[in-house]
Amino acid sequence: MTKRKVGIIGAGAVGATAAYSLSMMGVCGEIVLFDIAEGVAKGKAIDIGQSVHYAPVSTIVTAAESPADVNDCDIVVITAGVPRKGDMTREDLLMINAKIMKSVVEDVMKYSPDAVIICVSNPLDVMSYVIHRMTGWERNRIIGMAGALDGARMAYQIYNKLGYGAGQTGTLVIGDHGQHMIPLPHKVQVGSVNTLELLSKEEMEEIIERTRNGGAEIVKHLGTSGYYAPGRAIAYMVEAILNDSKVVVASSVLLEGEYGYSDVSVGVPVVLGKHGAEKIIEIELDDATREKFKTSVESIREGIDILKANKFFD
Ligand code: APR
């Protein structure tokens, strides 16, 4: 990776925050933003480009005039999509975002054929699966950003409960990036101490519930979904890939027999390095967690089946 060039398609709240976070970290040589809404990528690229003056290392931040300008990227982050509004059903939203994904991915294949794709658009696991089907690329190059964010949200809840250990808490959330996600607070440590020694069963349950509703809680206060934590989580993953740092981060990847499933993208722990999701780690799941994982996979498959029923993949 010589250029350390990152494309961000969808320069909305999350995409722009990822760009800002990356430029403050100084890990990219160049960031190029693209958005379908006129002026959005340009305005944000100028604003972020000016903030870079005070960054530790300079980053070139530009706006793409057309998808062709998002070329030769090492990584392409896709946040393009529309939020659910008004009387839109889940099915409507799924079809709209899948169509957006299809057109975006065609451009990525054309202009950044060697990139690793980080998918952020929702419904995350289904959209990651769509990218697999559209590209046919090796599965390590398509990674859904889920566990990096949900894990940070879980760590935040653990800290809130304990009142210590900020920044010292492990993260592990598997399954879908939706209502059936599976936070595993009892599997992580604070410092080197397992949370089983620090938290009661009731406290664990509350942490699980609050992690699951982490996104909705922000919407309740802010009227819109969060973007700082998602943006920073994307930047963390981009950094790990660019630096080939081999960190373990739960992410949505295509399973080929792991955990007993195939042909579905779902959140599991993976190793992030220069080739993307270089290894899937299969952790031991107890019976109850295996059951939850099944429910989670089924909920993702429902989404995929809606696309199939609408002949999306034909
Ligand atoms: N090409 C490029 N950009 C697009 C396209 C497209 N075909 N379609 C939509 N966009 C852009 C929109 O113009 C908008 O600026 O995607 C951007 C999405 O940004 P926001 O609406 O601000 O949404 P955001 O909060 O950033 O979330 C982005 O991440 O967490 C997920 O569910 C969320 O799918 C959503 C995505």
Side-chain angles (χ1 to χ4, degrees), residues 230-248:
R232 182 65 186 91
I234 295 166
Y236 178 72
M237 293 174 69
V238 168
E239 181 182 35
I241 297 166
L242 289 179
N243 290 350
D244 192 25
S245 58
K246 319 279 190 207
V247 292
V248 178

Side-chain angles (χ1 to χ4, degrees), residues 9-15 34-37 40 79-83 97 100 103-104 120-122 225-227:
I9 302 182
V14 174
F34 176 72
D35 200 287
I36 198 124
V40 168
T79 78
V82 298
N97 279 345
I100 291 175
S103 77
V104 164
V120 183
S121 309
N122 276 323
S225 45
Y227 42 92

Side-chain angles (χ1 to χ4, degrees), residues 125-261:
D125 306 280
V126 182
M127 290 304 128
S128 301
Y129 178 83
V130 165
I131 300 175
H132 279 288
R133 290 292 299 264
M134 296 290 111
T135 60
W137 285 1
E138 312 91 294
R139 63 174 174 161
N140 54 289
R141 289 170 60 199
I142 298 153
I143 315 165
M145 192 286 286
L149 170 62
D150 300 325
R153 286 179 169 159
M154 185 179 88
Y156 175 83
Q157 297 302 341
I158 292 174
Y159 168 76
N160 274 351
K161 201 44 96 186
L162 292 173
Y164 55 80
Q168 273 198 302
T169 305
T171 66
L172 189 55
V173 179
I174 61 171
D176 67 298
H177 182 57
Q179 63 184 126
H180 300 292
M181 76 170 68
I182 310 162
L184 297 168
H186 57 285
K187 290 259 194 192
V188 304
Q189 298 184 335
V190 178
S192 296
V193 182
N194 193 290
T195 47
L196 286 169
E197 309 220 27
L198 307 173
L199 294 159
S200 68
K201 197 166 176 295
E202 291 70 33
E203 286 172 325
M204 293 278 193
E205 283 307 318
E206 199 185 322
I207 286 163
I208 291 169
E209 207 42 42
R210 295 198 71 158
T211 301
R212 225 175 247 147
N213 295 322
E217 186 180 1
I218 294 169
V219 175
K220 199 177 85 193
H221 293 293
L222 202 57
T224 178
S225 45
Y227 42 92
Y228 292 108
R232 182 65 186 91
I234 295 166
Y236 178 72
M237 293 174 69
V238 168
E239 181 182 35
I241 297 166
L242 289 179
N243 290 350
D244 192 25
S245 58
K246 319 279 190 207
V247 292
V248 178
V249 187
S251 305
S252 186
V253 290
L254 189 78
L255 297 186
E256 290 173 349
E258 295 86 358
Y259 292 89
Y261 296 93

Side-chain angles (χ1 to χ4, degrees), residues 8 15-25 31 47-48 51-52 228 235:
I8 300 184
T17 309
Y20 177 68
S21 188
L22 280 168
S23 25
M24 289 304 109
M25 290 152 70
I31 299 170
D47 197 8
I48 297 167
S51 77
V52 162
Y228 292 108

